[in-house]
Amino acid sequence: MALLTGVAIVMLGSEKTSAFVSVINATEAIVLKIIDFIMEFAPIGVFALLAALVVDFSGDPAMFSALGMYAIIVVGCLLFLAYIFYPVLLRIITKKNIGDYLRAVFPIQLLAFSTSSSSATLPFTMEQAQNKLGISEETASFVLPLGATVNMDGTSCYQAIVVLFIAQIFGIELTTAQYLSVLFLTVLASIGTAGVPGASVVMTVMVMASVGIPVEGLALILGIDRPLDMLRTVVNVTGDTFVASVVEGKQKPSVL
Ligand code: ASP
């Protein structure tokens, strides 16, 4: 529906559709403001949810070590994606030098890490991709904005780990069919996740609900979510530059 509506708006031209576009823009601004209100109260909410869960688990120290293990696994998987998987795949597909690629994307990764937002990083990603990665404006202006919206591998990897971790904490055994739905739904959810801080938590709720895992469990991981969010944003933007480099490499030989 969204795609069809967008195509129809473009075809009709701004004169006929400007009122509708204004309503949509105003709705977006209102929703973002509501989210601002919610975020103001989020620390209190997270504290309350976490306190309730700690009481439920009777302050079991094993839960905290499990949480530490969870963080280590998320960090390990994200680092693997950003610094081994993408560079090696890029080398295989485009024959680009891994060191040059990593040096060029490092400033983008730093900005992604500090803002926790692929969308906020996008202008810099585009500039850096054109100046340092040798990606043409044509490719960068199509692939990177699209990537910042739909290509979130770090997010999808993180969501899958969260779902499995919480299922384990609650002692829920997943069937093979459920594992497959987690796989499928986390990819879909990551596509739908906005490139803003903490966005994937909302989508993870949907994945958990659809495989029957208690969503209150999310409170467990909310306390340590911010640093993991910073890291998955790094992977998300690295994935975007990787795809842009591959698309560029397919069009003409590498300049690196
Ligand atoms: N912060 C992430 C990003 O902007 C999205 C998320 O996983 O929450 O890419």
Side-chain angles (χ1 to χ4, degrees):
M1 263 318 282
L3 281 176
L4 283 177
T5 311
V7 170
I9 289 175
V10 171
M11 289 174 76
L12 283 169
S14 62
E15 225 169 74
K16 287 190 181 141
T17 54
S18 61
F20 179 76
V21 173
S22 308
V23 170
I24 297 286
N25 283 339
T27 311
E28 187 199 0
I30 293 168
V31 170
L32 287 179
K33 196 75 216 157
I34 293 174
I35 292 174
D36 275 353
F37 296 152
I38 296 172
M39 293 312 282
E40 293 286 328
F41 286 96
I44 302 169
V46 170
F47 173 77
L49 277 169
L50 205 53
L53 270 175
V54 170
V55 172
D56 282 353
F57 283 91
S58 333
D60 186 356
M63 191 185 80
F64 293 101
S65 56
L67 204 58
M69 203 57 197
Y70 151 81
I72 292 172
I73 290 176
V74 173
V75 170
C77 291
L78 293 178
L79 290 178
F80 171 80
L81 272 179
Y83 296 105
I84 298 179
F85 181 75
Y86 286 135
V88 170
L89 209 58
L90 187 78
R91 174 82 199 161
I92 294 171
I93 300 175
T94 65
K95 308 277 178 290
K96 279 185 182 178
N97 182 301
I98 293 182
D100 289 344
Y101 169 73
L102 287 178
R103 256 189 299 281
V105 294
F106 187 65
I108 308 176
Q109 293 176 331
L110 265 189
L111 188 64
F113 189 76
S114 46
T115 57
S116 255
S117 164
S118 330
S119 301
T121 315
L122 180 61
F124 184 62
T125 311
M126 292 184 60
E127 187 192 309
Q128 193 77 359
Q130 288 174 51
N131 297 341
K132 295 280 160 37
L133 280 169
I135 294 170
S136 65
E137 197 195 336
E138 204 184 8
T139 308
S141 59
F142 177 70
V143 176
L144 294 174
L146 186 67
T149 323
V150 301
N151 178 35
M152 300 214 176
D153 303 344
T155 294
S156 121
C157 167
Y158 155 86
Q159 287 171 334
I161 297 172
V162 169
V163 173
L164 300 189
F165 169 69
I166 294 172
Q168 281 180 2
I169 285 278
F170 281 90
I172 300 170
E173 281 222 12
L174 298 178
T175 60
T176 312
Q178 279 173 315
Y179 275 117
L180 290 176
S181 9
V182 169
L183 188 79
F184 178 69
L185 289 170
T186 48
V187 172
L188 268 190
S190 71
I191 292 174
T193 303
V196 294
S200 56
V201 173
V202 185
M203 300 306 279
T204 312
V205 171
M206 288 180 221
V207 179
M208 287 170 65
S210 51
V211 284
I213 295 168
V215 288
E216 312 86 81
L218 255 190
L220 276 177
I221 52 119
L222 285 182
I224 53 163
D225 187 58
R226 182 66 189 206
L228 302 180
D229 187 10
M230 294 158 91
L231 210 55
R232 61 183 186 257
T233 311
V234 167
V235 177
N236 291 343
V237 296
T238 311
D240 299 340
T241 55
F242 160 76
V243 175
S245 304
V246 170
V247 172
E248 184 69 20
K250 291 279 164 216
Q251 289 172 4
K252 62 176 192 257
S254 155
V255 296
L256 283 180

